Amino acid sequence: MLTIKNLAVSIEGEDKPVIKGFSLEVKPGEVHAIMGPNGSGKSTLSYVLAGRDGYEVTGGSITFEGEDLMEMEPEERAAAGIFLAMQYPVEIPGVANSYFLRQALNALKKARGEPEVSAADFMKKLKAKAEAIGIRPEFLKRDVNAGFSGGEKKRNEILQLAMLEPKLCILDETDSGLDIDALRTVSDGVNALRSPDRAMIVITHYQRLLDYIVPDHVHVMADGVIRKSGGKELALELEEQGYEGLLGEAA
Amino acid sequence: MTAIARKPSPRHTPPVPAFTDLFQATSGQLPGSGTAMLDEWRQRHFARFNATGVPTQRVEHWKYTNIAKVANVAMGLASRPDVKLEDVQRYFAGGPLARRLIFINGHLANELSHVGGLPDGVVIKSLDAMLREAPDRVLAALGDDRAIDASGPHSFADLNAAFLQSGAWIEVADGVTLERPIQLLFLTAGEASAVMTHPRIVVHLGDGARAHLIESHVGVRDGHCLTNLVADYAIGAEARLAHDRLQLGAAGTTFVGLNRIAIGEKGELKQTVATLGGDLVRNETDMHLNGSFIEAQLNGVYMPVAAEHVDNVIRVHHEKPDCHSDQFYKGLALDKAKAAFAGKIFVYQDAQRTNAFQQNSNMLLSDDAEIDSKPELEIYADDVKCSHGATCGELDPTALFYLRSRGLSKAEAESLLTYAFAAEVLERFTDPAVMKLAQERLVARTPGGANLTDML
C-alpha cells in the first residue's frame, strides 16, 4: 500500500536533513508503530506523508497504491485515502464541528466520484460514531476544537478518522495529553477501524499506547532513520532498556 | 436664527451654504416645530454646527476618513418612499414576539411597526411623537450634546439636533425586565440626488432594568443617502442591556453614527456589531463606566468589499474602580476596501483594579485593500490589568493545511477560514435571527462563499 524508499527530507530553507534515508513498506491490514526520541524525525515523517508545506524532499520516493505521493496536494492525498491524526489539532473558531466534518466527507466523496451523503444520514452516522468514542453531542455543535481540552481534541481527531474512513491512518502522538480512560476509549475507536484493507502507522514516544493498539511491526527511529525493526515485543524491550540501551549509544 | 461669526480652524472645513438654506426652508416643518424651546434648541445646535464646521482628517478621530467629501455637500432631507411589508420582513429579528419600530429614510413607518401590549414601566415611542408630546423631556434627556473630547463640539451630533426628525425613545423603569426584544429597523432607500436623514435613539434603563435591543440598518435600494445617527444609552445601576447592531447598507449610502453610552454601578452591557455593507460606514462609540463592578463587552466585525470604507472609533472611560471592559473587534478588507479601527481605553486615577482589554485582529484579502489599526491605552491608576493587541495578517497556513488534509480543496479551505475568521464574532450576537442575517451576508461577501451556503 505504502512504499517509502530512501527518503531524505530537510526543513525548507535549512540545509540540515531531518530524515536521512528512511525506508518502510506498509501492507493493507498492517499496523506499524514508529517509536523514537524527540527530534528523531517521526513527526516530520507524518507531515511529509500528509503533504504539509515547509519540507523539502531531497531524495528517495514515496508511493501510495502505485501513485507518486510527492506529486499530490494534501487534499488529493486525503481523497486517495490518507489521514493524519495530528499531534496538535488546529482550533477553528467560527466553524461548527459537524459542518466541517460533513464538508470534508462530501469533498472526499466528490473527489472520488461518489454521491454526497444527505444531511440526515450524515448526522445519524456522526452521532453513532461520536457516542462510540465518548464525544458528547454538544461537541458536534461547537466550533472545531475551539476551547477543547487536549483529550477532547484527540478524541475529535479519532471521530474524524472514524467518519472519513481512510485507507491509511497515521496517528501522530495520539496518546499525548490523554489520561488512562481517554486512552482506552480512543484506542477502542482506533481498533474498531482495524480491517484487512486498512493500514495504520502509529507514531508514539511511549509503549503504553501499544498495549491498547497492538502493532504488527515496531520500528525504532533515531536521527532520521529506522535503527531497529521487530514485532510488538520490541516495544517492550524498548520500555525496559530505553532508547540508549536498545540502540547502544546516546540517542 | 443666530449666526456666529468665527473662522473655522483648519481642522474643520466650513459647511456648504446649502445647509443653511435647507435649515431655513425646513424650519417650522420638523417634528415639534413651533415649540419655542425646541426651535431654540435646534437653532442653537445648527449655529454651532455652522461655527464648528465639518471635521477634516486633521481631527485625530477623523484621521482615517475624509467625511467632508460625502457629507459636506448640498443635500435635501430624505423623503419617505413606499416600502412593502414583504420586502422588509426578511430583516425582522427578535422572534415572533419582538416589538418593532420601523423607519424608512428616517421617517417612522407606523403601519409596519408594532410596539403594543407593553408592561407597566415601559415606554417605546417614536421620537417624533415624543418631540410633539413632551419636548421638555426629550430636551432634558438629550442635553446639550456634550462634547466628547478636546476636539470640541461634535459637528454631526449638532447637525442631527438641527434636523432631528424621528427615531426611538425607549424607557424601562427601575426593576423592570423586558423579556421580548425590541427591534429598531432602519431602512434606507437611496435616492438619485444626495439626501440625508437624522435619526436618534434614546434608551434609558432604570436601576436593575433589563432589555434586549436589536438595531438593524438595512439598505433596500442603492443610491445616495447619508444617515446621521446619534444614540444615547443610559444604563442604570445593576441594569443589563444586550445590544445587537447589524449594518447591511446599500451601495451609495453613507452612515455616520455616534453612540454615547453611560453605565451605572454593577451595570452590564453586551454589544455586538456587524458592519457588512454601505459605501462609507463610521461607527463611533464613547462609553463611560460611571460606577464600580461594571461589565462591558464590545464585539464587532467589519468586512468592507469593493471600494467600501469602514471606520470604527471606540473610547472606553473607566472612571471608577473594579470594572471590566472587553473589546473584541475583527476586520477583513477585500478588493480596494479600506477599514480602520481606533480604540482607546482611558483608566482614570480612581479606577483601581480595572480590567480592560482590547483585541483587534485583521485580515487583508487583497493587495489593494487597507486596514489601519490604532489601539491606545491611557492609564492614570496604578493597580490595573490592561492589554491591547492589534494584528493584521493572512490566513493561517497551519489551519489551511489541516482543512486540506481532511479533503477540502485549497479554495474551499480558504473560503471556510475567511468565513470563520469573521463568523467567530457573529456567534456573540444575542439574537439568533440577527446572527443568521449576518452570516448570510458574510457568506455572500466571502470569496467562494457559494460553497458555504449549506452551512446556514
Side-chain angles (χ1 to χ4, degrees):
Chain A
M1 179 183 272
L2 178 75
T3 308
I4 306 174
K5 274 186 191 158
N6 282 320
L7 184 71
V9 178
S10 306
I11 309 284
E12 216 167 62
E14 293 175 27
D15 270 348
K16 227 175 72 185
V18 181
I19 294 176
K20 309 165 181 175
F22 181 98
S23 298
L24 182 69
E25 175 80 36
V26 179
K27 296 194 176 73
E30 291 181 344
V31 174
H32 289 250
I34 297 179
M35 304 182 70
N38 279 329
S40 56
K42 306 187 302 294
S43 284
T44 299
L45 177 70
S46 72
Y47 285 137
V48 169
L49 290 174
R52 186 174 177 164
D53 282 346
Y55 301 97
E56 198 180 339
V57 174
T58 54
S61 66
I62 309 174
T63 51
F64 181 70
E65 299 200 310
E67 303 272 341
D68 181 0
L69 205 61
M70 303 324 296
E71 294 297 309
M72 293 158 77
E73 297 291 343
E75 59 270 31
E76 292 170 331
R77 301 181 195 206
I82 291 178
F83 180 97
L84 168 62
M86 296 196 196
Q87 188 180 356
Y88 303 108
V90 181
E91 298 194 8
I92 308 178
V95 178
N97 217 4
S98 59
Y99 174 79
F100 164 55
L101 256 176
R102 186 153 68 91
Q103 287 292 100
L105 185 60
N106 282 332
L108 293 177
K109 291 204 173 277
K110 203 169 110 191
R112 293 169 189 160
E114 296 168 11
E116 297 193 351
V117 286
S118 74
D121 288 348
F122 172 82
M123 281 315 292
K124 209 172 139 191
K125 188 175 170 186
L126 182 63
K127 280 179 183 155
K129 300 269 186 194
E131 202 186 333
I133 299 163
I135 292 179
R136 293 197 305 279
E138 63 261 32
F139 277 80
L140 305 175
K141 289 184 201 148
R142 281 175 57 179
D143 289 346
V144 180
N145 293 327
F148 287 24
S149 71
E152 286 159 356
K153 284 181 184 170
K154 293 300 173 73
R155 280 179 208 244
N156 204 31
E157 291 290 283
I158 301 307
L159 176 64
Q160 294 177 15
L161 177 62
M163 288 300 291
L164 302 180
E165 299 178 314
K167 291 178 189 165
L168 175 65
C169 319
I170 305 158
L171 308 179
D172 187 8
E173 308 228 3
T174 295
D175 50 338
S176 68
L178 293 187
D179 61 34
I180 198 77
D181 293 326
L183 187 65
R184 191 169 291 141
T185 37
V186 163
S187 303
D188 288 347
V190 173
N191 286 328
L193 290 163
R194 290 181 76 156
S195 87
D197 327 310
R198 184 173 287 132
M200 296 190 184
I201 297 174
V202 181
I203 292 171
T204 180
H205 270 296
Y206 303 107
Q207 185 266 338
R208 191 180 65 158
L209 177 67
L210 305 180
D211 286 343
Y212 297 99
I213 305 173
V214 181
D216 303 302
H217 304 277
V218 173
H219 311 279
V220 179
M221 191 171 178
D223 198 23
V225 291
I226 290 178
R227 298 286 297 275
K228 199 159 189 174
S229 293
K232 63 183 179 201
E233 66 288 347
L234 183 60
L236 294 166
E237 249 178 80
L238 187 62
E239 184 75 3
E240 278 167 25
Q241 300 176 25
Y243 290 110
E244 229 173 283
L246 189 79
L247 301 174
E249 62 186 79
Chain B
M1 60 165 284
T2 46
I4 296 177
R6 200 178 87 193
K7 202 177 165 212
S9 75
R11 285 147 57 88
H12 291 81
T13 175
V16 294
F19 283 109
T20 302
D21 298 343
L22 185 70
F23 187 71
Q24 283 164 352
T26 54
S27 78
Q29 293 166 34
L30 294 167
S33 288
T35 312
M37 63 190 308
L38 195 53
D39 289 345
E40 188 276 328
W41 184 77
R42 288 185 192 277
Q43 279 166 13
R44 185 153 42 87
H45 283 81
F46 185 69
R48 193 165 66 182
F49 165 73
N50 249 340
T52 310
V54 178
T56 67
Q57 287 175 273
R58 295 185 61 183
V59 175
E60 187 56 28
H61 60 259
W62 283 98
K63 186 175 172 179
Y64 299 110
T65 301
N66 180 357
I67 195 65
K69 199 171 132 191
V70 287
N72 195 16
V73 297
M75 287 180 275
L77 285 184
S79 58
R80 203 212 119 161
D82 268 338
V83 171
K84 291 190 191 73
L85 180 65
E86 54 264 36
D87 295 332
V88 300
Q89 241 166 343
R90 58 181 306 255
Y91 301 109
F92 286 7
L97 297 176
R99 295 180 173 96
R100 190 171 293 116
L101 286 176
I102 299 182
F103 302 90
I104 304 171
N105 284 359
H107 303 270
L108 176 73
N110 205 23
E111 73 285 7
L112 301 175
S113 300
H114 161 74
V115 287
L118 291 170
D120 285 347
V122 178
V123 178
I124 303 174
K125 282 196 166 188
S126 75
L127 199 59
D128 53 285
M130 282 301 289
L131 286 169
R132 280 187 285 262
E133 292 165 19
D136 50 332
R137 292 201 59 207
V138 177
L139 295 194
L142 298 186
D144 192 39
D145 281 318
R146 62 182 156 82
I148 278 171
D149 58 20
S151 66
H154 197 288
S155 304
F156 285 93
D158 285 341
L159 188 63
N160 176 288
F163 290 102
L164 182 57
Q165 288 160 289
S166 191
W169 174 276
I170 299 167
E171 280 177 89
V172 183
D174 290 355
V176 174
T177 294
L178 190 58
E179 302 278 358
R180 290 150 62 175
I182 306 164
Q183 185 184 19
L184 305 178
L185 176 52
F186 293 90
L187 303 165
T188 303
E191 296 189 13
S193 63
V195 293
M196 58 183 176
T197 149
H198 301 276
R200 224 174 240 251
I201 298 170
V202 183
V203 176
H204 180 92
L205 297 193
D207 293 348
R210 304 222 162 136
H212 174 194
L213 178 71
I214 298 164
E215 181 193 345
S216 316
H217 297 272
V218 175
V220 291
R221 189 172 73 203
D222 292 352
H224 297 283
C225 189
L226 163 69
T227 300
N228 173 30
L229 173 78
V230 177
D232 280 290
Y233 300 89
I235 302 169
E238 296 182 44
R240 189 188 293 169
L241 177 68
H243 181 201
D244 291 330
R245 187 183 220 207
L246 179 62
Q247 298 177 303
L248 306 175
T253 59
T254 300
F255 179 92
V256 177
L258 171 64
N259 284 303
R260 289 181 297 214
I261 304 168
I263 311 180
E265 186 107 349
K266 295 182 186 164
E268 281 178 43
L269 169 70
K270 181 190 168 202
Q271 183 191 67
T272 306
V273 184
T275 305
L276 299 167
D279 270 15
L280 191 161
V281 179
R282 153 90 171 185
N283 289 326
E284 183 175 356
T285 295
D286 195 63
M287 179 167 76
H288 287 261
L289 310 182
N290 294 327
S292 296
F293 301 104
I294 292 165
E295 290 279 335
Q297 195 190 110
L298 304 179
N299 308 303
V301 63
Y302 42 95
M303 186 184 193
V305 301
E308 290 177 353
H309 180 110
V310 178
D311 185 358
N312 303 284
V313 175
I314 298 176
R315 290 180 294 272
V316 176
H317 302 259
H318 279 260
E319 299 186 12
K320 297 283 192 262
D322 299 300
C323 292
H324 174 209
S325 74
D326 208 338
Q327 298 170 51
F328 179 65
Y329 265 70
K330 289 181 125 182
L332 300 108
L334 290 89
D335 311 317
K336 290 180 174 173
K338 282 188 182 167
F341 175 89
K344 191 161 185 176
I345 301 168
F346 300 87
V347 181
Y348 294 37
Q349 202 165 1
D350 265 359
Q352 298 296 358
R353 297 173 302 282
T354 286
N355 282 315
F357 307 104
Q358 182 191 72
Q359 178 61 43
N360 177 228
S361 311
N362 295 289
M363 199 148 56
L364 286 171
L365 296 174
S366 139
D367 290 344
D368 297 323
E370 181 182 323
I371 300 182
D372 295 287
S373 180
K374 197 172 80 153
E376 284 180 285
L377 290 170
E378 206 170 299
I379 302 174
Y380 297 101
D382 49 21
D383 178 16
V384 301
K385 269 191 209 138
C386 294
S387 74
H388 61 183
T391 61
C392 193
E394 292 166 359
L395 294 172
D396 173 17
T398 310
L400 266 179
F401 167 68
Y402 188 64
L403 297 186
R404 293 178 74 191
S405 79
R406 299 299 180 254
L408 272 61
S409 70
K410 185 162 181 273
E412 286 167 342
E414 285 171 349
S415 292
L416 190 57
L417 287 180
T418 303
Y419 171 86
F421 178 82
E424 189 189 5
V425 179
L426 304 185
E427 290 175 356
R428 300 191 177 198
F429 273 123
T430 301
D431 181 60
V434 173
M435 183 171 79
K436 183 130 193 297
L437 282 166
Q439 286 171 333
E440 283 170 8
R441 180 61 69 97
L442 174 60
V443 161
R445 294 195 152 214
T446 300
N451 292 323
L452 302 174
T453 47
D454 62 342
M455 172 173 350
L456 304 172

